[in-house]
Amino acid sequence: MSDALISSLSAALGAEHCVAGDGDLSFRGTRPDAVVSPGTTEETADVLRLAAAAGAVVVPWGGGTRQRMGGPLSPAGRPVLALRTTRLNRVLDYTPEDMTISVGAGATMAKFAAAIVPNGQMFPVDVALPGRSTVGGALATAADGPRRLGYGTFRDLFLGVTVVEAGGSIAKAGGMTVKNVSGYDMMKLHLGGLGSLGVIVSANFKLLPTPRAAATIACHFDALPGILAMLDALHASKLVPAACELISAEGGEGFGLCLLTDGLPQAVERHKRDVPKIATQTGARDSQILEGEEHAALWARINDLPQAADLAPDELVFRAACLPSEMVATVGNVLAVAKANGATVTFSARALNGVGYFRLRGEPATLGRAWKSLAETMPAASLVSLGAGSPEAAPSPWGRMPGGLDVMRRLKREFDPANVLNPGRFLV
Amino acid sequence: MNASALVSELRALVGERGVVVDPDALMTYNADGCVMDTHAPDVVVLPTTTEQIVAVVKLAAKHGIPLLARGAGTGLSGGATPVRGGIVLVTSRMEKVLEIDRRNNRARVQPGIINFELTAILKAQGYHFAADPSSQKACTVGGNIANNSGGPHCIKYGITGSHVLGVQMVLADGSIFWTNDGTPELPGYDLTGITVGSEGTFCVMTECWIKILPLPEATRVVMALFTDILPAAETVSQVIAGGFLPAALEVMDGGALKAVNDAYKMGIPPEADAALIIEVDGVEDGLDDLLAEIIAIAKEKGAIEVRPAKTPEEQVKVWAARKNAFGAMGRLAPTYHLVDTVVPRTKLPAIMRDVKRIAKETGLSIVNVFHAGDGNLHPIVLFDRTNADQSERAHRAVEEVMRLSLEYGGVISGEHGIGIEKQEFMSQLFTEADLAAMAAVHRALDPDDLFNPGKMFPRKFEANDLASERRRVAEAGAGLPALMAKHGDKLWV
Ligand SMILES: Cc1cc2nc3c(=O)[nH]c(=O)nc-3n(C[C@H](O)[C@H](O)[C@H](O)COP(=O)(O)OP(=O)(O)OC[C@H]3O[C@@H](n4cnc5c(N)ncnc54)[C@H](O)[C@@H]3O)c2cc1C
């Protein structure tokens, strides 16, 4: 990396925020030539401008918990800058009674929550590892949480954004109101865009009131067919659980179907009464009501299951999506393929939404085979993370390709003509 | 291409009955509900199949003729006004529900289906499409999606965009594809999301997968009457801040109440000068207690009467009154301008006070019917457009409401879109760099500016010129020619 670039970055950010050859960070093998930590939107723009002029590529870096997602970085011989958002971590605008907030992209999800919880408010997207995951990283990877069943995802709550684009242009969209159709909904492109169109520096969200009561009904099933029957019955009922998560039973045989009910105390009581009945009718071995700390601990564990930061060397994590009605079959398919390849599976699936996160462990070679066969057969699947010993040369991390790839390519080239942002990692 | 050759080609594609050329008939399509500007199209086509739409798009592209997709034309921002003439493609003959998949909470529909008809079909199956603009008796689902429309129930269920799972879209090169079918988050950019709210400026939607929801087990509707609009607005602010999650919070002021009172024989007492409609829904359990708490807030703020609508019939009546209030404005004045804007919700009482002042200062009546729970106000300025002085005062009133809304941290449109009405306001909310990013999206999708040209971006910009300039600067800043010389295609893997 050229000394000139380092010295101009140091001049812009202060030497302590521009570290050459930092050994800590790596993206599946590639180490950045320098790690820069801008403290403001303008400094972030300086970094992108200087990077563009010097022909360097930029990898936005939040908490680093999902840096193994996507394809391998392919800088084509260009110097690599890791842009840490850690210092962009302030709450920028928050009037609690408006129930909207603007936060810096580098704030952790835990810090974000800490700002609003004292006001009886919540943000219902339960991202894994909230103490380390940042707002920007969660957005760029379109992280979701179990409560999407009741409250939706970032997609429904992401009101406004400020990004710095390749070349250093600062662009904002949306605003701080809960409804807004002023121009294109640019938030949608940056959400899940893996930082390929711009570096998210701050984001605005809609907040919700903390429910007055909450509880879990954990149902234990021996086999998948009973679960399918229970899901059908729940779907046909007028119950409105906030989450319905199908999980591999801990240590033992069988499966758990965990329902989270929240809202008015009477409504929670109603779910506590009705859900166990449905479970019994559909063949559950037992069901248990969890409240208070037990309830919280269970969901903290479920929320963290998709985590992609700390993996065993022989581990691979992927996300599979399908129509909700296909979720149980998808789980069955993953279990069968894993078994055929001698791999073990732990998983957590948003059973009424059609999204599951699966952790496979086994021999690298067989893991690679299992992933390939799953990626080719499932409606939608993507690798979230690979352990150090996992097959780096895994086939495409994206599974089956969606429609509109040409348009996506044109978008990427329009926004980032020199492929400066996260080259190679996104699917276009 | 000369006009008669175009018409005969179109007739060959969609049949004799699917082409309108009669000048009087074309006038019907010269604007939507916003009559700031009118311009008749050269020809109107009414296709019946997706294949026909693709063929019409290809024909338009080949000859560089502007093409505008139109639903019912109920838009209020000029989105469906063909400012540059050309072809208007009306979706009214593509109005089928193609598939209802209850287990996956989704339905596949053609874009021309009327929102209300879809709602009736779904209701028979115990479902609903949560996007329910007040114009639902006339507007199409395609128009709802293109405008990312709102409605009374956004406060709980979100805007249209939260209920669109995927769209089938035709681009100017005639390519057609589905963005999604209801599978959560496919890899790649969210093309569904960017198409929602794009006001027909870069594609024609030919089919859509929409999200449908089971009807709630129980619903309660209550109308609280106040002697003034301010306590109604304050009630709304307090209910929001108090952590309730109602399904709707809608306000009508005295002017609106008067307009609907006769039509619906609601027996509103003369001293009532504002009404707040409150709806809560969910499982039966606890709903009455929740409603009681909200009513207590309304009373504490000075509600003079609280009227529960217990039966479904009574509820339908209250909602009909609310949803038709706006239609009743026609009886109050020859012309009206509805200003759609949103403020942070705590600013609602303040801006309502300003609206009152503006009415007084301009000497015009301003009526309010709006989605209070979202901070989305709709002051309706009544005037006579044949009277130059009144028109000028109306214009001033609109500008002043918009200025204040932005000052309060609001935005320029909550649900009606930009179209032509709000084009010039875009520069007040966005910098040139913000607009250039939007223009980049436009250029990636519609590089020749075929679809609905002349909209959304301030008139001084052609969207694609703005994008080209943006790209030129970006390429120069990145030294692209030198990079290409050094790395060649390796820049892109
Ligand atoms: C009395 C009244 C009440 C209203 N209440 C509300 C309300 O509560 N909430 C609200 O949000 N709006 C409301 N509106 C505004 C309007 O009804 C909505 O914007 C509606 O969604 C427009 O639907 P439409 O079918 O009439 O679309 P049109 O007016 O025909 O078109 C609107 C836009 O959509 C584009 N479009 C239409 N079909 C397609 C397609 N197939 N492909 C691509 N682009 C397409 C058009 O080009 C245009 O830009 C109201 C209007 C009236 C007159």
Side-chain angles (χ1 to χ4, degrees), chain B residues 340-361:
Chain B
D340 166 44
T341 182
V342 202
V343 291
R345 296 182 279 198
T346 49
K347 300 296 191 303
L348 205 51
I351 196 158
M352 293 321 298
R353 223 170 280 135
D354 292 323
V355 168
K356 274 197 160 178
R357 174 180 55 76
I358 294 166
K360 208 180 257 165
E361 282 171 10

Side-chain angles (χ1 to χ4, degrees), chain A residues 251-267:
Chain A
E253 290 287 295
F255 306 93
L257 192 64
C258 303
L259 275 93
L260 192 159
T261 166
D262 64 8
L264 299 173
Q266 299 96 317

Side-chain angles (χ1 to χ4, degrees), chain A residues 121-380:
Chain A
Q121 296 178 358
M122 67 164 181
F123 187 70
V125 184
D126 303 301
V127 174
L129 306 181
R132 291 161 66 188
S133 295
T134 59
V135 167
L139 286 171
T141 56
D144 71 339
R147 286 191 291 166
R148 65 181 294 161
L149 181 63
Y151 299 104
T153 59
F154 276 122
R155 202 173 184 274
D156 306 295
L157 303 162
F158 187 15
L159 303 177
V161 73
T162 301
V163 299
V164 176
E165 299 175 346
S169 177
I170 299 168
K172 70 171 183 312
M176 281 289 275
T177 57
V178 293
K179 269 170 92 178
N180 186 358
V181 291
S182 311
Y184 293 150
D185 189 348
M186 304 297 287
M187 285 67 80
K188 296 291 191 297
L189 290 180
H190 295 290
L191 178 59
L194 215 55
S196 62
L197 298 179
V199 180
I200 300 171
V201 290
S202 67
N204 310 342
F205 300 110
K206 176 175 172 176
L207 304 174
L208 291 169
T210 307
R212 298 180 189 180
T216 302
I217 305 109
C219 312
H220 199 165
F221 282 84
D222 293 324
L224 291 175
I227 291 177
L228 186 59
M230 172 138 182
L231 292 172
D232 287 345
L234 281 171
H235 182 265
S237 78
K238 291 289 186 188
L239 299 177
V240 283
C244 176
E245 204 73 5
L246 170 57
I247 58 173
S248 42
E250 244 186 314
E253 290 287 295
F255 306 93
L257 192 64
C258 303
L259 275 93
L260 192 159
T261 166
D262 64 8
L264 299 173
Q266 299 96 317
V268 168
E269 288 308 314
R270 162 82 177 277
H271 286 79
K272 281 160 60 181
R273 265 195 326 270
D274 286 7
V275 174
K277 281 188 213 149
I278 297 177
T280 307
Q281 282 159 14
T282 50
R285 195 196 299 164
D286 56 58
S287 55
Q288 232 184 319
I289 311 278
L290 308 180
E291 282 168 303
E293 278 181 14
E294 265 186 318
H295 157 86
L298 173 71
W299 290 101
R301 205 163 69 236
I302 290 176
N303 294 346
D304 275 352
L305 190 127
Q307 69 86 5
D310 306 317
L311 271 74
D314 61 346
E315 192 172 26
L316 168 160
V317 184
F318 70 91
R319 171 188 190 283
C322 57
L323 290 173
S325 62
E326 301 297 321
M327 193 74 245
V328 171
T330 297
V331 168
N333 180 31
V334 175
L335 295 178
V337 171
K339 193 169 177 195
N341 287 283
T344 58
V345 187
T346 39
F347 70 90
S348 186
R350 330 262 190 249
L352 287 170
N353 290 106
V355 188
Y357 293 87
F358 299 85
R359 311 186 77 87
L360 260 54
R361 293 188 69 168
E363 287 287 307
T366 55
L367 276 189
R369 261 204 313 276
W371 165 249
K372 189 168 175 348
S373 112
L374 287 166
E376 281 166 2
T377 53
M378 288 192 297

